[in-house]
Amino acid sequence: MRKFNVVSALMLTCFVISSAPAQAQTRVALAESYAYLVNASRVIRGKSPVANKTSIAWANRRKTRAVKDAMLREIRVSQSYFSSASSNNACQAYAYLKNTRYRLFEGRSQSHSGLVNTCLNMDEPTYRQEIDKDLSDLFGSLR
C-alpha cells in the first residue's frame, strides 16, 4: 500500500507541475516582467512605451505583492483595448506580452521586433487568441 501512495503522490506532483505555468523565481524576473507588461498596456492603449529601466526601478522599490497587484491592474486596464486596437498596436502589445510571459514563466525573453513580425504574419483571430490566453495565464498566476 505504501508503494502505491508514493507513486500516486509522484504522479500527482508531475501533473500539477506540468499543468500550471512556472512562477518567476527571482525579484529580477518579476521586475522585468512588470516592465514588459507596462509597455504592453501602454502600446495597446495607443501610448508610447517607457524605458524598461524606469519600470524595473519602480518594481524594485516595491514589495512582491505590490508589484503583482500593479501587474493585475495593468491587465485589467488594457484588456478591453485589445478587441479594438489596430493590428500594429496589437502586435506591438503582443510582443511585450509574450516577453512578459516568457520572463515570468520561463526566465527568458525574445527579440521584440522578431515577436512583432511573428504577430504580423499571423491572422487576427490567431494572435488575438494567443493574447487572450497569455492575459488569462498571467492573471491567474498573479492573484
Side-chain angles (χ1 to χ4, degrees):
M1 189 70 152
R2 178 168 162 71
K3 185 176 185 180
F4 176 75
N5 288 339
V6 171
V7 171
S8 296
L10 181 59
M11 288 175 57
L12 178 62
T13 302
C14 290
F15 172 76
V16 169
I17 290 171
S18 67
S19 65
Q23 294 294 312
Q25 299 297 313
T26 66
R27 291 271 307 156
V28 171
L30 185 63
E32 290 173 355
S33 297
Y34 172 75
Y36 286 126
L37 187 58
V38 164
N39 282 331
S41 178
R42 289 182 63 82
V43 299
I44 200 63
R45 292 180 287 141
K47 296 182 176 185
S48 298
V50 295
N52 279 357
K53 65 181 180 178
T54 303
S55 297
I56 290 169
W58 181 92
N60 284 333
R61 291 189 307 269
R62 305 301 186 282
K63 292 186 179 193
T64 298
R65 183 71 257 160
V67 175
K68 288 181 176 184
D69 288 345
M71 291 175 79
L72 288 168
R73 279 190 300 279
E74 293 291 342
I75 291 170
R76 284 187 199 108
V77 164
S78 61
Q79 268 183 320
S80 63
Y81 288 86
F82 279 97
S83 61
S84 61
S86 69
S87 60
N88 185 50
N89 283 5
C91 285
Q92 289 290 329
Y94 168 93
Y96 284 116
L97 193 58
K98 281 294 180 192
N99 273 329
T100 301
R101 179 187 181 87
Y102 291 152
R103 190 65 183 110
L104 190 63
F105 298 150
E106 300 173 27
R108 65 183 180 98
S109 61
Q110 288 189 353
S111 158
H112 181 79
S113 60
L115 289 168
V116 170
N117 285 333
T118 297
C119 178
L120 290 170
N121 288 320
M122 290 183 201
D123 62 342
E124 186 176 339
T126 302
Y127 72 72
R128 293 210 186 273
Q129 183 177 7
E130 283 197 36
I131 287 170
D132 288 344
K133 181 179 181 346
D134 288 345
L135 288 171
S136 177
D137 288 350
L138 288 167
F139 189 82
S141 73
L142 294 167
R143 289 186 298 164

